[in-house]
Amino acid sequence: MLRLGSREFGAHEPVIMAIVNRTPDSFYDQGATFQDEPALARVEQAVAEGAAIIDIGGVKAGPGEEVTAQEEARRTVGFVAEVRRRFPDVVISVDTWRADVGAAVCEAGADLLNDAWGGVDPGLAEVAARYKVGLVCTHAGGSRPRTRPHRVTYDDVMADILRVTVGLAERALALGVPRESILIDPGHDFGKNTRHSLEATRRLGEMVETGWPVLVSLSNKDFVGETLDRPVKERVVGTLATTAVSAWLGAQVYRVHEVAETRQVLDMVATIAGHRPPAVARRGLA
């Protein structure tokens, strides 16, 4: 059982986490949801299309202008409070690596801290424990926030992913983060080249076998672009293919831009796997 905020999700229930960037320079939408009203409209649309989690980020992952903790909080804290007011049942996640920002968004109503940089601030897990919220434990290959990988090597990339993510999850549990609210994430593209991310996808079942719920953040990433030689705006098909493979291998939570399309892929895979009945069944029965 995965429990986040007021929501519970069964072992075979795929969960969509919709991305809402509160940044003026995000790599995919170029700041389309930087202002409050477009961002709130995005939340409403995502929930209507089947997202159970809204992931709010105040700093883009890649290099760019410095964003202080104060500015990150300004972009996210008030917005979290407004989403909480308008959508009381949605799970609110905040993508941050900073403990002080994490505490501020938890005070505003966040249910989950999405630590995409692999515990670079150990205090973030302590914040999750203090507020009894969920935590995403990610493998970033030891990278510093907002840096790109350069000639990264691993003897065995999945072994390193397992060592780091399970270690972070066990530390979070020991600190007091609820067991049912901890997820692990292989960290596609973070501290990895394209071949590393492809291998992490191929061997995703090894993460699932740990018993920790697995989150994947695949949406329009560079490993998809390099695999197919497609620019950012032409990576949806590759993303959905990778989503289907990840679902078949047992990942549970999917951080995405395209909610409706992802919902169909996940429903189709779940039905093929026998975890979900067809929405209708008329063929051959009339």
Side-chain angles (χ1 to χ4, degrees), residues 167-192:
L168 290 169
E170 290 176 345
R171 175 178 181 265
L173 181 62
L175 287 169
V177 180
R179 170 66 175 79
E180 63 275 14
S181 302
I182 300 171
L183 304 100
I184 59 175
D185 177 353
H188 288 81
D189 277 359
F190 281 59
K192 300 170 190 67

Side-chain angles (χ1 to χ4, degrees), residues 49-286:
E49 291 178 347
I53 307 172
I54 300 298
D55 190 49
I56 299 163
V59 186
K60 79 169 186 175
E65 292 185 8
E66 180 186 2
V67 179
T68 65
Q70 292 75 18
E71 174 61 15
E72 183 184 1
R74 188 193 69 78
R75 295 176 180 183
T76 56
V77 174
F79 187 72
V80 167
E82 184 62 14
V83 173
R84 178 84 294 150
R85 186 184 72 81
R86 296 195 189 193
F87 304 90
D89 298 326
V90 77
V91 177
I92 299 176
S93 170
V94 175
D95 181 349
T96 185
W97 73 87
R98 291 165 164 151
D100 49 356
V101 174
V105 296
C106 286
E107 287 285 347
D111 304 300
L112 176 64
L113 297 175
N114 182 10
D115 183 8
W117 290 102
V120 68
D121 183 345
L124 191 61
E126 297 167 10
V127 169
R130 182 161 74 248
Y131 288 91
K132 300 302 179 187
V133 300
L135 182 69
V136 179
C137 301
T138 307
H139 179 272
S143 300
R144 303 299 300 174
R146 308 193 68 195
T147 60
R148 297 197 187 281
H150 179 68
R151 299 180 185 265
V152 179
T153 60
Y154 298 96
D155 291 333
D156 183 327
V157 67
M158 182 50 74
D160 203 70
I161 289 169
L162 292 172
R163 176 185 64 82
V164 170
T165 58
V166 172
L168 290 169
E170 290 176 345
R171 175 178 181 265
L173 181 62
L175 287 169
V177 180
R179 170 66 175 79
E180 63 275 14
S181 302
I182 300 171
L183 304 100
I184 59 175
D185 177 353
H188 288 81
D189 277 359
F190 281 59
K192 300 170 190 67
N193 61 31
T194 289
R195 292 182 184 276
H196 293 144
S197 292
L198 292 170
E199 182 173 350
T201 306
R202 187 163 57 247
R203 297 174 61 185
L204 204 61
E206 295 175 45
M207 295 189 74
V208 175
E209 288 171 3
T210 67
W212 297 101
V214 175
L215 179 150
V216 288
S217 182
L218 312 168
S219 196
N220 303 296
K221 284 195 167 179
D222 285 347
F223 83 97
V224 174
E226 289 195 356
T227 298
L228 301 176
D229 193 17
R230 290 290 185 269
V232 170
K233 295 296 185 180
E234 297 178 18
R235 299 176 184 176
V236 174
V237 173
T239 296
L240 295 176
T242 312
T243 298
V245 170
S246 300
W248 188 256
L249 293 174
Q252 185 166 16
V253 180
Y254 300 80
R255 182 177 182 271
V256 306
H257 296 97
E258 285 81 20
V259 175
E261 295 87 342
T262 302
R263 181 78 270 163
Q264 290 189 51
V265 169
L266 295 178
D267 285 350
M268 193 71 201
V269 174
T271 304
I272 293 169
H275 303 315
R276 171 189 179 274
V280 295
R282 295 187 291 261
R283 183 174 174 79
L285 300 177

